[in-house]
Amino acid sequence: ASYDLILANIDELNKIILNRRNQELLNNILVKQSSIFEPKEFLKSMISFASFLYDIVKSPVSWYTQMSPDQQANVRAHLAHAVLAVVLSLVLAVFLSILIKRKFGYRPVEDRPGYGKRALTAAAELIATGLIPAAVIGAFLIWFKNNAIMNNGNFGIFMTYICSYLLAVFLLRAIIKVVFTPFNGKWRLIEVSDVWAKSLYKALLFSIVAISIFSFFGRVAIQTHYAADVIYALKLLANAVKAVCIVVIARTALYDNQSLSDEDLQNEADFGSMSFSSKASLVLSFAAVAAFVPSLFGYIVLSEFILDRLIGSGILIGVFYIVNRLIRVLFHAVLLLKFWRRTLRISPKTLVKTEFWFTFFLNPLMILLAGLFLLGLWGVSVDILLNNTKQFLTGFNIGGVRVSFTSIAMGIIAFFVSMMVF
């Protein structure tokens, strides 16, 4: 009885915590600012934004002129050494990248290489095109942050963020290039068409660069304590760019023109005749446009919240999809090893069944994990959700019977393993 009473009290506390969190989230995202339909306020924001861009351009001059004569002399004395170090680092980075690409990178082949070779080549390309440039930028950023004279004022904030965003852009570009391999289809890690891989690579690269530019301006404006008008204009433009990027990626990745006949395309086929991916593309595009609309009426934070979650959801689903396919390909490659047939005398029929059941259990597991991450991304209290999920999986009572899905799953696995052994 005491145990049941404690559980009831815990549930009540969780409800109170959940309501408080939801209320705080709503209060944060439903903040209203000036609308774009208020001409004076909007014009003021645009003028402030132009002034902000001018301040960024002249920040190196302002930083230098505000120094004392001794500091200016010190900067001039060390400037040549700093430039020389940067140039040498860039030359060394380019040399290492070219060397790695020539030794281990993509090369023309007649037949499709094995998956292990493709994976090693992808890792080498990731190092050459992503990690080495990121290491150079990171080293410069560390030196810049530790230099009290350089890392000073608005110029220091500007350089810190531009290096951080350049580092992120190089890494993300290298990752999507390795995953989709747009120009070397035989070395691609996942099975997709060349046209789709090239189109999606270009759309993702465009989106990464565009979103990074406006995100960079927004972070600089916040850190340099610019007026609210500037931040308002930057967030409005950033939301517009995010909406456009979502539409471009949805159109590129999901819309399927091949599922429609020429007559359907000319007559603007109805929604019902489209494939599922085409429908998902249109729904996602409409959601992106609808999410941007509140920005026009002053609900900048609400629009930013929805658009960021849409982008995050797309990234999360893409990651789980790619990981799922990679796991299946790797498991298939392992089953093709001669060890199973020659040493353990396992028949090919049994290996096919094993792959089927592995896929049968893997897909629901990946969907469940992706669903939990998506719920957490959209503001669901993850700790409470995981606690409830744990209680559901480890066991719950129905009358006088305790049901445990974990025990049931372990029993099923033990049964099939025992059957295989016997």
Side-chain angles (χ1 to χ4, degrees), residues 12-188:
E12 290 296 327
L13 286 173
N14 283 337
K15 290 179 182 178
I16 294 172
I17 294 171
L18 189 60
N19 292 333
R20 179 64 182 270
R21 288 176 177 174
N22 292 338
Q23 189 62 45
E24 185 176 356
L25 177 63
L26 290 175
N27 292 337
N28 289 334
I29 66 176
L30 293 180
V31 177
K32 189 175 185 303
Q33 295 170 288
S34 59
S35 171
I36 193 175
F37 300 107
E38 299 176 9
K40 292 183 179 180
E41 294 294 332
F42 182 70
L43 181 61
K44 182 181 177 182
S45 299
M46 291 297 105
I47 293 174
S48 300
F49 175 65
S51 176
F52 166 72
L53 293 180
Y54 175 72
D55 289 340
I56 286 181
V57 172
K58 73 171 187 178
S59 61
V61 178
S62 301
W63 162 75
Y64 185 77
T65 55
Q66 291 175 359
M67 291 182 181
S68 63
D70 293 338
Q71 290 177 330
Q72 291 179 354
N74 190 14
V75 169
R76 289 193 299 270
H78 292 85
L79 185 60
H81 298 88
V83 172
L84 180 61
V86 171
V87 171
L88 291 177
S89 300
L90 291 176
V91 171
L92 179 61
V94 171
F95 173 76
L96 288 176
S97 297
I98 294 175
L99 181 63
I100 292 174
K101 287 182 179 181
R102 286 182 178 177
K103 293 287 185 180
F104 308 102
Y106 302 128
R107 59 182 62 88
V109 290
E110 295 183 1
D111 299 325
R112 190 176 179 85
Y115 197 84
K117 191 172 183 180
R118 279 183 281 158
L120 291 176
T121 304
E125 286 284 338
L126 180 62
I127 293 172
T129 60
L131 295 182
I132 290 179
V136 174
I137 298 173
F140 175 78
L141 181 60
I142 293 173
W143 170 80
F144 186 85
K145 293 285 289 183
N146 292 328
N147 193 316
I149 297 178
M150 301 291 293
N151 187 24
N152 186 25
N154 292 344
F155 176 71
I157 296 174
F158 171 76
M159 289 298 298
T160 298
Y161 277 103
I162 198 172
C163 290
S164 301
Y165 277 94
L166 281 175
L167 190 150
V169 167
F170 272 104
L171 284 178
L172 291 175
R173 173 185 171 273
I175 290 172
I176 62 174
K177 187 176 181 180
V178 165
V179 171
F180 296 104
T181 319
F183 309 109
N184 298 277
K186 293 182 179 180
W187 294 91
R188 192 171 297 129

